[in-house]
Amino acid sequence: MPIAEKPMRADAIRNRAKIVDAAYEQIASHGVDVGMDEIATAAGVAVGTLYRHFPTKTDLVAAIVEHYVDAAATDAEASLARVQTGGSRAADELVEYIRRVGDSSADHVAVKSTARSLGVEPHPDTSAAARVEAALAGLVVQGQADGDIRPEITVDDLFLLMTTAPVNQAVEVRERWLQLVLPGITTH
Amino acid sequence: MPIAEKPMRADAIRNRAKIVDAAYEQIASHGVDVGMDEIATAAGVAVGTLYRHFPTKTDLVAAIVEHYVDAAATDAEASLARVQTGGSRAADELVEYIRRVGDSSADHVAVKSTARSLGVEPHPDTSAAARVEAALAGLVVQGQADGDIRPEITVDDLFLLMTTAPVNQAVEVRERWLQLVLPGITTH
Amino acid sequence: MPIAEKPMRADAIRNRAKIVDAAYEQIASHGVDVGMDEIATAAGVAVGTLYRHFPTKTDLVAAIVEHYVDAAATDAEASLARVQTGGSRAADELVEYIRRVGDSSADHVAVKSTARSLGVEPHPDTSAAARVEAALAGLVVQGQADGDIRPEITVDDLFLLMTTAPVNQAVEVRERWLQLVLPGITTH
Amino acid sequence: MPIAEKPMRADAIRNRAKIVDAAYEQIASHGVDVGMDEIATAAGVAVGTLYRHFPTKTDLVAAIVEHYVDAAATDAEASLARVQTGGSRAADELVEYIRRVGDSSADHVAVKSTARSLGVEPHPDTSAAARVEAALAGLVVQGQADGDIRPEITVDDLFLLMTTAPVNQAVEVRERWLQLVLPGITTH
DNA sequence: GATGAATGAGTGTTCATTCAT
DNA sequence: TATGAATGAACACTCATTCAT
């Protein structure tokens, strides 16, 4: 039963979003070591405001990761939906999904390493993470029912592979990695 | 025409070794951002000494990486030797080698990311790196001749996988990763 | 079109002044090599504050020099004013001015050499420097019209002498130097 | 009555000379802040050797200054000799001497400021300084007897002017300075 | 609530000097 | 005695965080 939180003021919400976006952008393009001032400037607010929303740099990064996971969750759910409506095959969606996750991280080099370097848990117990898990589970089960995915594969296996994907490398490298890794997942 | 380098003094050699060891240890356990002072203290020398041996933090990290690659090279050559003397099967040695590399890095969390974060080339054109490459090439060729390794596999593929191995995870996780990845390399 | 600069906060202005004063004092009495920390302490602020106002030691010294030149400009203009209102003779004012500049620098040994050693231009194209030049030019012209100043003397000549004055010596020495140098400027 | 000092070994003397030369060169061209290591390297010895000869950087600089004063002394004595043999007029020699001192320092920018910045007395009580003084005294007296030099001028006056000469400026500037300063010394 | 000035511990690095070889 | 490796205090500068306005 959630504690009733006073709703944020409209401009505070707007600021929060601006900050997360700017921080994402800055950290992605200049690495974890961008200063808080730089992030604040990029977000068009003062440092103080930034600290009002995120008491710690770590908190800010955690928010970014959550943001990122959230997008991934929405993506995964869309994949599952396409399968469930008969629009496509589960295994194909799974492969495409892994590829897309790698691609999107690739544009934003440092986010993952950032998260780790600041001790942010890779899989925070967010609802977003849970949503990814649920959607992928759906795809795996269906893929196995189709006989396309190896029966012993679990969602954790997929997480393991995705968290070790060579995100900050050229497309060809990422594609080659996918080809190397696929036989361990699929049945053919 | 050999370059006439004056041999280092005995104590200087000892210090250099102490420094590399301590730096390895410190960076591995506390991340790249350990201070040079901390490293020096851990090595039992003064900062100045550290800087006499490595004019820059980057130089120090490069030396550590080289040290690490060197060990990996010796290991790979031993594997190849065992195969060439008929002592064991190339594919088996390859798998074991990958596992060992993961194990050894595992104790020392951050070294690889460290190297990258400081702009140290992952594969500096060291003789050590060349040695690893040569030995692994030998294993791959033999494994393919044996029909154990997929014909399209190259040494670069192995590097790709090894550099994305989940080094900083528990044994079981690393083992699971190996099982997921193996089908992409071997023929069975 | 005036550049819209947000006015500094009152306390920031106060701090800036405190810093310039303290830096002047410290550098003057202990030489250029006083640490920034020492200057900060003397100013009663933390180093960070010092760096917020002057991003570089060189910037700080430049500010000090400007401060100093500014005072000299005001002084020179006062001299010229006295002459123009008929209150005194141009040549006398000139001599007194040179003496005063020597005196004021004398308390603060190293400022000039400091400026030079940090690569700060001796005559930055500040309005202050221009003001000194204009006022001295006025005095020189009038002194020549009076027949007191040698006709070939220029403002640059005065600068040359003033920048070579023995600022860090005892009064008597400085006075003797003035007597040695005067015949080259005046007609008697 | 000097204490009998054990004569230096031949190679020690050679080293001392090499060091002073190298130090002169280095400090002149790179400023006071050249490291002792750099000086030692330039002199072809190890730092330890340098420190055996000069226990302190200040001592080394003092030695350089003495070296410089020594050359100036020889020069001054030659001037005096030319006057005494009737070869030239004292006042002319004096002016030329001042010009030469400025010139020679000019090649070696930082030496004087160096000396001062390290707290080396400008007129160490060396025999060399005494020789300069004696020779200049001879020139002054003769110049005054000739009616060319103002009667109130002393050797100290000359020192005062020479130590304030704009040594590190272009020839034209130095020449202009000389013209400005001459009327204070001569009778015409 | 937002601002941005102030804080101060910490960083990598230098260099005069000492001392074991 | 000469060597050059070791020392360590000092330096200019940074940046996450706090707090007066």
Side-chain angles (χ1 to χ4, degrees):
Chain A
M1 222 165 294
I3 300 171
E5 295 199 358
K6 193 172 281 182
M8 269 174 133
R9 267 173 38 183
D11 60 339
I13 294 179
R14 235 186 342 271
N15 270 343
R16 207 196 124 97
K18 280 196 305 185
I19 290 169
V20 172
D21 282 1
Y24 190 77
E25 221 67 36
Q26 293 294 311
I27 291 186
S29 53
H30 303 109
V32 209
D33 291 340
V34 265
M36 292 295 262
D37 281 32
E38 243 159 310
I39 294 173
T41 302
V45 300
V47 243
T49 304
L50 194 160
Y51 273 92
R52 168 164 297 273
H53 288 279
F54 306 96
T56 276
K57 191 171 191 177
T58 303
D59 292 329
L60 175 56
V61 173
I64 293 173
V65 171
E66 192 173 331
H67 183 82
Y68 172 77
V69 174
D70 204 76
T74 304
D75 186 354
E77 286 165 346
S79 275
L80 181 58
R82 277 192 296 275
V83 169
Q84 287 171 338
T85 60
S88 54
R89 218 177 166 82
D92 293 345
E93 285 290 346
L94 213 42
V95 171
E96 287 308 312
Y97 179 76
I98 295 174
R99 194 179 346 246
R100 278 198 306 275
V101 167
D103 286 355
S104 72
S105 308
D107 305 342
H108 308 287
V109 183
V111 177
K112 203 174 59 183
S113 77
T114 290
R116 193 159 299 159
S117 88
L118 283 176
V120 175
E121 280 299 300
H123 286 172
D125 191 27
T126 330
S127 52
R131 284 169 50 212
V132 177
E133 188 146 10
L136 291 187
L139 290 175
V140 167
V141 167
Q142 183 58 49
Q144 288 168 333
D146 295 344
D148 293 333
I149 302 290
R150 292 182 180 234
E152 76 275 15
I153 290 297
T154 67
V155 173
D156 276 352
D157 290 338
L158 298 181
F159 279 139
L160 177 53
L161 288 177
M162 289 190 300
T163 56
T164 57
V167 277
N168 39 5
Q169 307 258 349
V171 215
E172 307 86 40
V173 175
R174 275 155 28 217
E175 191 57 35
R176 180 67 188 136
W177 174 84
L178 195 57
Q179 298 309 326
L180 283 169
V181 138
L182 241 37
I185 304 175
T186 65
T187 52
H188 19 262
Chain B
M1 222 170 289
I3 301 174
E5 293 216 354
K6 206 167 274 183
M8 263 176 136
R9 255 165 50 178
D11 57 343
I13 294 179
R14 229 181 352 265
N15 271 339
R16 206 197 124 99
K18 280 196 304 185
I19 290 169
V20 172
D21 282 1
Y24 192 79
E25 222 67 36
Q26 292 294 310
I27 290 185
S29 52
H30 302 108
V32 209
D33 291 339
V34 261
M36 292 295 262
D37 283 33
E38 243 159 311
I39 294 175
T41 302
V45 301
V47 241
T49 303
L50 196 160
Y51 274 94
R52 163 169 279 266
H53 288 277
F54 305 97
T56 276
K57 189 171 190 177
T58 303
D59 291 330
L60 175 56
V61 173
I64 294 174
V65 171
E66 193 172 332
H67 183 80
Y68 172 75
V69 174
D70 206 76
T74 304
D75 186 353
E77 285 166 346
S79 276
L80 181 58
R82 277 192 297 275
V83 170
Q84 286 171 337
T85 58
S88 54
R89 219 175 165 82
D92 293 345
E93 286 289 348
L94 213 43
V95 172
E96 287 307 312
Y97 179 76
I98 295 174
R99 196 184 337 251
R100 279 197 306 273
V101 167
D103 286 355
S104 71
S105 309
D107 308 340
H108 308 288
V109 183
V111 177
K112 204 175 55 185
S113 77
T114 289
R116 194 159 300 159
S117 86
L118 283 176
V120 174
E121 279 299 297
H123 288 171
D125 191 28
T126 329
S127 52
R131 284 168 51 209
V132 177
E133 187 145 11
L136 291 188
L139 291 176
V140 167
V141 167
Q142 184 58 49
Q144 288 168 333
D146 295 343
D148 294 332
I149 303 289
R150 290 180 180 237
E152 77 275 15
I153 290 296
T154 67
V155 174
D156 277 352
D157 291 338
L158 299 180
F159 279 138
L160 178 52
L161 289 176
M162 291 191 300
T163 56
T164 56
V167 280
N168 41 0
Q169 308 260 348
V171 216
E172 307 84 40
V173 176
R174 272 149 37 212
E175 190 57 34
R176 181 67 189 135
W177 174 85
L178 194 56
Q179 297 310 325
L180 284 169
V181 140
L182 240 36
I185 304 175
T186 63
T187 51
H188 17 263
Chain C
M1 222 169 289
I3 300 175
E5 293 216 353
K6 205 165 276 182
M8 264 177 135
R9 256 166 50 179
D11 58 343
I13 294 178
R14 227 178 359 260
N15 271 339
R16 206 198 123 100
K18 280 196 304 184
I19 289 169
V20 172
D21 283 359
Y24 192 78
E25 222 67 37
Q26 292 294 311
I27 290 185
S29 52
H30 303 108
V32 209
D33 291 339
V34 262
M36 293 295 262
D37 282 34
E38 243 158 310
I39 293 175
T41 302
V45 301
V47 241
T49 303
L50 195 159
Y51 275 95
R52 162 170 279 267
H53 288 277
F54 306 97
T56 276
K57 189 172 190 176
T58 302
D59 291 331
L60 175 56
V61 173
I64 294 173
V65 171
E66 193 172 332
H67 183 81
Y68 172 77
V69 173
D70 206 75
T74 304
D75 187 353
E77 285 166 346
S79 276
L80 181 58
R82 277 192 296 275
V83 170
Q84 286 171 336
T85 59
S88 52
R89 218 177 167 81
D92 292 345
E93 285 290 347
L94 214 42
V95 172
E96 288 308 312
Y97 179 76
I98 294 174
R99 195 180 343 246
R100 279 196 306 274
V101 167
D103 286 356
S104 71
S105 308
D107 309 341
H108 308 287
V109 184
V111 177
K112 203 175 56 187
S113 76
T114 289
R116 195 157 300 157
S117 86
L118 282 176
V120 174
E121 280 299 298
H123 288 172
D125 191 29
T126 329
S127 52
R131 284 168 52 210
V132 176
E133 187 145 12
L136 291 188
L139 291 176
V140 168
V141 167
Q142 184 58 50
Q144 288 167 335
D146 295 342
D148 295 332
I149 303 289
R150 292 180 179 235
E152 77 274 17
I153 290 296
T154 67
V155 174
D156 277 352
D157 290 338
L158 298 180
F159 278 138
L160 177 53
L161 289 176
M162 290 190 301
T163 56
T164 56
V167 279
N168 42 0
Q169 308 260 349
V171 215
E172 306 86 38
V173 175
R174 272 151 35 213
E175 190 57 35
R176 181 65 188 136
W177 174 85
L178 195 57
Q179 298 310 326
L180 284 170
V181 139
L182 241 37
I185 303 175
T186 64
T187 51
H188 15 262
Chain D
M1 223 165 293
I3 300 171
E5 294 199 0
K6 193 174 281 182
M8 269 173 133
R9 267 172 39 182
D11 60 339
I13 294 179
R14 235 185 345 268
N15 269 345
R16 208 196 122 98
K18 280 195 306 183
I19 290 169
V20 172
D21 282 2
Y24 189 78
E25 220 67 36
Q26 293 294 310
I27 290 186
S29 54
H30 303 108
V32 209
D33 291 340
V34 265
M36 293 295 262
D37 281 32
E38 243 158 310
I39 293 174
T41 302
V45 301
V47 244
T49 304
L50 194 160
Y51 271 92
R52 168 163 298 275
H53 288 279
F54 305 96
T56 275
K57 191 173 190 176
T58 302
D59 292 329
L60 175 57
V61 173
I64 293 173
V65 171
E66 192 173 332
H67 182 82
Y68 172 76
V69 173
D70 205 75
T74 305
D75 187 353
E77 285 165 346
S79 275
L80 181 57
R82 276 193 295 276
V83 170
Q84 286 171 336
T85 58
S88 54
R89 217 175 167 81
D92 293 345
E93 284 290 348
L94 213 43
V95 171
E96 287 308 313
Y97 180 76
I98 295 174
R99 199 187 332 253
R100 279 198 305 275
V101 168
D103 286 355
S104 72
S105 308
D107 305 343
H108 308 287
V109 182
V111 177
K112 203 175 58 183
S113 76
T114 290
R116 194 158 300 159
S117 87
L118 283 176
V120 174
E121 280 299 299
H123 288 172
D125 190 27
T126 331
S127 53
R131 283 168 51 212
V132 176
E133 186 145 12
L136 290 188
L139 290 176
V140 167
V141 167
Q142 184 58 50
Q144 288 168 332
D146 294 344
D148 294 332
I149 302 289
R150 292 181 180 235
E152 76 275 18
I153 291 295
T154 66
V155 173
D156 277 351
D157 290 339
L158 298 181
F159 279 139
L160 177 53
L161 289 177
M162 290 191 299
T163 55
T164 57
V167 278
N168 39 6
Q169 306 258 350
V171 214
E172 307 85 39
V173 176
R174 275 156 26 217
E175 190 57 35
R176 181 67 189 135
W177 176 84
L178 194 57
Q179 298 309 326
L180 284 169
V181 138
L182 240 37
I185 304 175
T186 64
T187 52
H188 16 264

